[in-house]
Structures are given as structure tokens and as C-alpha cells.
Amino acid sequence: MSDAVAAPTGAETGASVKAAAGQRIHLDKQTPDAYRAFVQAAKAVRAAGEAAGLDRILVELVNLRVSQLNGCAYCLDVHTRAALRAGETPRRLGVLAAWRDTELFTPRERAALALAEATTHPADADAEERAYAEAREVLDDAELSAVAWAAITINAFNRVSVLSKHPVRQD
């Protein structure tokens, strides 16, 4: 008789991963004080955007593009609804992932989207420098700062929702 334990099969490993995923805690519920602090930071960022004169659609485009890059279904759902409420069109939302290949976005929106992407993927230093330079051409200091903070904030919320596996449910 052998004391060796058989290695799990692919099916067993997959089942274990699925079971562990079902046991995810919702970070926002587990540590509500930290989450409330995030919410307060988001309110300050929103106020900074408003004070800088950023329209709601531009901010929601940033939120959506970052959420696309991070694969956050929950945030995509929330911010798609917010963008539509703010007056964004389904057509532009449909092509947002390929915004560079369209003529549907203004120079300000393009600069904000490039900066949001660079903020989300900071390891590409050349892309970050190009995005920052482009943003400086069309955004003033307050606008650029507000866009960067919006991208930083949604990146943080994406991490919380992805790690927590927040569900997207039917209405």
C-alpha cells in the first residue's frame, strides 16, 4: 500500500478553482471603513472634475475605458448606465474599445482616453509620455489632473469589484 496521494486531475483542479471563486468575500462588505474611504475619495474626484469643467460624458468614457481594460463587468454595467443617463450614445459606447480607429471622439475625449489607458498600464513608459504630451495640448492643468484622478479611482474600484467578483444581475 502506498502513502502517495494522487495529483488532482484537470477536472478536480477546475472544480477546486470554481469552488474557491464561489467563496470570494466582497471586500467592500468585509472592510466597510476602507470602502467608505474609497467612496469619499471618489466623491472628491468627481467634485474636482466638475470644478475643472469636465462634462459627465467624458468622465464616464474614462470610467468605461479603464473598466474595459481591467475586465470589470460590474463597473462596465454601472458606468454604461451612467453614460447613457448623461446623454452618451449607444453608437459611441459600442466602439469605445476601438476609439482610436473612429472619428467619433473629440480631441479632448481622445486625450482623456489615452491618458486613462496610460494610467491603467503605466509600465509602457513611451505610451505614457505620448499620452501625457497629448493631454497637455488639449487639457488645462485642472482638467488633466481630474482625468488622471478619475482613471486612478476607477482602477481602484475595478480591483475591488474584480477581486470580489461582484455580480451583474438582470434587472
Side-chain angles (χ1 to χ4, degrees):
M1 178 173 216
S2 168
D3 290 333
V5 176
T9 66
E12 291 169 336
T13 302
S16 298
V17 169
K18 286 180 184 174
Q23 297 171 359
R24 296 278 179 114
I25 60 169
H26 285 190
L27 298 174
D28 49 328
K29 306 268 188 286
Q30 181 64 38
T31 315
D33 290 342
Y35 185 75
R36 279 192 291 275
F38 259 32
V39 170
Q40 290 304 310
K43 287 178 182 179
V45 168
R46 185 175 187 151
E50 290 170 357
L54 295 181
D55 67 43
R56 194 75 224 146
I57 289 175
L58 186 144
V59 173
E60 291 305 338
L61 290 172
V62 166
N63 288 335
L64 284 165
R65 185 63 188 130
V66 170
S67 297
Q68 287 174 338
L69 294 170
N70 288 324
C72 184
Y74 183 82
C75 294
L76 284 166
D77 183 54
V78 167
H79 293 287
T80 295
R81 293 170 188 239
L84 290 168
R85 279 192 310 272
E88 184 54 271
T89 67
R91 181 180 184 203
R92 285 179 12 126
L93 292 178
V95 298
L96 181 58
W99 63 269
R100 284 183 174 87
D101 300 327
T102 76
E103 296 178 358
L104 300 179
F105 299 93
T106 69
R108 290 185 66 201
E109 291 167 337
R110 297 173 79 76
L113 290 168
L115 185 60
E117 289 179 357
T119 303
T120 302
H121 296 296
D124 186 346
D126 290 337
E128 182 182 336
E129 286 299 323
R130 285 190 306 275
Y132 197 90
E134 181 182 341
R136 293 294 294 159
E137 290 178 14
V138 295
L139 301 173
D140 66 27
D141 291 354
E143 292 169 329
L144 189 146
S145 180
V147 167
W149 275 109
I152 290 164
T153 304
I154 193 62
N155 267 294
F157 278 102
N158 286 171
R159 300 309 188 268
V160 170
S161 289
V162 168
L163 284 171
S164 298
K165 294 218 177 276
H166 287 154
V168 177
R169 295 191 171 99
Q170 291 288 341
D171 289 331

